[in-house]
Amino acid sequence: LEFRRVLFRYEIGERGCVTPVITAGLAISAGTCGGIRCLDAATGKLRWSISVENTGSSSWSGIASAGPQLLAATQQGDVVCINRETGRIEWVRSGIGRVMFAPIGDVKHGCAVVFVQDTDAGIPAEVLGLDLRSGRTNWRARVGNLDAAPVLAGDRLWVASATGTLYAFDYG
């Protein structure tokens, strides 16, 4: 397999980018120190953008799809829920601790799963389940520090701890 040509390029404008989310014909990404951009995945045309000033967040950990919503997390401890089609911010949950990986959008259970860990601030490592409609905490579980992102498979959330423990949470 050989790549023949670049279909399009879009300069996000900030140094570094988080892993893009490709969903419903859209390509969404963010600069690690800037705004979020949504492009038409076929043409590369900008559909919408969110500036740093609109979210108050500046250092993105990752973005995930959750049905008609997007979940963006920051290292400052924010989770931002965004309408995928319009770019409108539906809610912001702040002050939960440093979010280390892209959230997991669990539409089946109406949940945004985020992993927070901030040993510098004295916040223990936890996995949080936030309500997709409001951002309120539905559940939380303490875990050991992580070096890898949690994985959702069916009704189980798998978390591998840096201390060598594998957790399987059943919340279905």
Side-chain angles (χ1 to χ4, degrees), residues 5-18:
R5 62 188 171 104
V6 175
L7 297 176
F8 62 81
R9 278 176 55 146
Y10 188 92
E11 297 299 326
I12 297 297
E14 293 88 14
R15 62 183 169 95
C17 295
V18 299

Side-chain angles (χ1 to χ4, degrees), residues 21-134:
V21 170
I22 312 301
T23 181
L26 302 173
I28 302 101
S29 192
T32 51
C33 293
I36 299 173
R37 309 287 186 269
C38 175
L39 308 177
D40 181 293
T43 66
K45 287 189 174 189
L46 181 67
R47 293 275 302 269
W48 53 259
S49 67
I50 298 174
S51 70
V52 172
E53 293 78 26
N54 290 359
T55 63
S57 303
S58 63
S59 184
W60 301 100
S61 302
I63 301 173
S65 177
Q69 298 166 310
L70 298 168
L71 302 165
T74 72
Q75 293 182 15
Q76 290 85 12
D78 306 314
V79 177
V80 180
C81 182
I82 303 162
N83 180 291
R84 179 183 68 204
E85 294 299 319
T86 66
R88 182 178 65 83
I89 295 173
E90 296 185 0
W91 52 261
V92 177
R93 175 69 190 274
S94 297
I96 59 174
R98 178 184 238 176
V99 182
M100 301 301 293
F101 304 103
I104 298 172
D106 180 7
V107 176
K108 178 180 176 183
H109 298 101
C111 196
V113 179
V114 296
F115 173 74
V116 297
Q117 173 177 306
D118 197 343
T119 52
D120 294 340
I123 298 171
E126 292 184 312
V127 178
L128 304 177
L130 306 179
D131 184 273
L132 276 178
R133 292 175 306 241
S134 66

